[in-house]
Amino acid sequence: MSTQAPDPFTTLLDLNSGSLDPERKVVERRHSNMADMYLEEYADGMADTVIYSVHEISVPTTNSNLMSSTTVIQPGTVGQEYYMTKGHFHKIRDRAEIYIGISGEGRLVMAKEDGLYTVEAMRRGTINYVPGGWAHRSVNVGDEPLVFFAVYPGDAGYDYGTIEEEGFPVLVVAGEDGPEVVPNPRYKAASPSEAG
Ligand code: PAN
Ligand code: ZN
């Protein structure tokens, strides 16, 4: 069949840890994989420490299939910035995505290429809709792991390069009274403006 539909299958999600049974593909991102994404450098000896892991339920990468994954972001900071994902646009820009919060407390930073941005809450029970054309990065602002489930078209793909070069318009940092959203001094794209 041209849609390359897999046979029906079931996966068990551990609602505490975010791990899957069976585990198929797990990607771990360490400080050494994200060196230039934070304003400050990570501390000596932290290079191999895992910041987050992505547990994927892989399907053929066609538009007729739905890819899904859980992401587990550890609590912590680099300088004032909370641990976060790299963030990306989808390679096929118009592909949307849904995030379902499972545990922990986070923020979802979304931005369009023209600098329009928004920051949404993530916690157990939130359902964040990421429309096509919006880059997305999730940030753990709590003391526990942030766990969420993501579903997106199988052919969405990842464009990490644009964010690596331009950054997001805003950063989420630990302020005196908790998380604060501040302008990113290294943001290179168009002028930031807050949505809605
Ligand atoms: C998510 C992300 C996951 C990790 O599954 O891929 O949270 O973030 P980065 O891919 O930015 O490292 C998703 O948005 N998929 O499309
Ligand atoms: Zn995505």
Side-chain angles (χ1 to χ4, degrees):
M1 200 190 297
S2 63
T3 56
Q4 298 180 39
D7 289 333
F9 64 98
T10 298
T11 305
L12 191 63
L13 162 65
D14 185 318
L15 289 166
N16 295 315
S17 70
S19 61
L20 300 175
D21 182 12
E23 286 284 13
R24 297 178 183 81
K25 180 181 164 198
V26 181
V27 174
E28 292 180 321
R29 300 288 186 200
R30 301 161 197 277
H31 283 277
S32 55
N33 304 127
M34 296 186 72
D36 295 329
M37 302 210 121
Y38 295 90
L39 284 181
E40 291 190 26
E41 289 182 15
Y42 56 83
D44 283 348
M46 294 291 277
D48 291 335
T49 300
V50 173
I51 297 178
Y52 65 98
S53 59
V54 183
H55 307 243
E56 195 174 278
I57 302 177
S58 307
V59 292
T61 54
T62 68
N63 188 24
S64 53
N65 287 306
L66 292 171
M67 198 76 91
S68 60
S69 60
T70 50
T71 301
V72 181
I73 309 177
Q74 298 304 318
T77 51
V78 178
Q80 293 300 107
E81 286 177 273
Y82 293 104
Y83 281 5
M84 61 190 183
T85 58
K86 290 176 163 219
H88 58 270
F89 286 96
H90 288 153
K91 193 164 180 184
I92 301 183
R93 279 290 193 280
D94 70 0
R95 297 304 192 242
E97 181 155 6
I98 283 178
Y99 281 1
I100 302 170
I102 293 172
S103 63
E105 192 194 348
R107 298 288 184 273
L108 174 57
V109 182
M110 290 181 270
K112 293 177 79 169
E113 272 173 302
D114 64 3
L116 189 68
Y117 70 88
T118 185
V119 180
E120 306 275 324
M122 298 178 82
R123 60 176 176 276
R124 184 175 183 78
T126 54
I127 301 173
N128 307 110
Y129 191 79
V130 182
W134 290 74
H136 37 290
R137 161 180 286 164
S138 32
V139 184
N140 184 352
V141 300
D143 299 329
E144 308 287 329
L146 174 68
V147 183
F148 61 93
F149 186 68
V151 187
Y152 47 104
D155 65 350
Y158 303 94
D159 165 14
Y160 290 107
T162 305
I163 293 300
E164 277 165 8
E165 279 168 32
E166 299 179 350
F168 276 84
V170 290
L171 307 176
V172 184
V173 299
E176 284 187 7
D177 299 318
E180 290 175 10
V181 177
V182 299
N184 176 5
R186 297 195 303 185
Y187 182 57
K188 291 211 188 79
S191 2
S193 63
E194 193 173 355

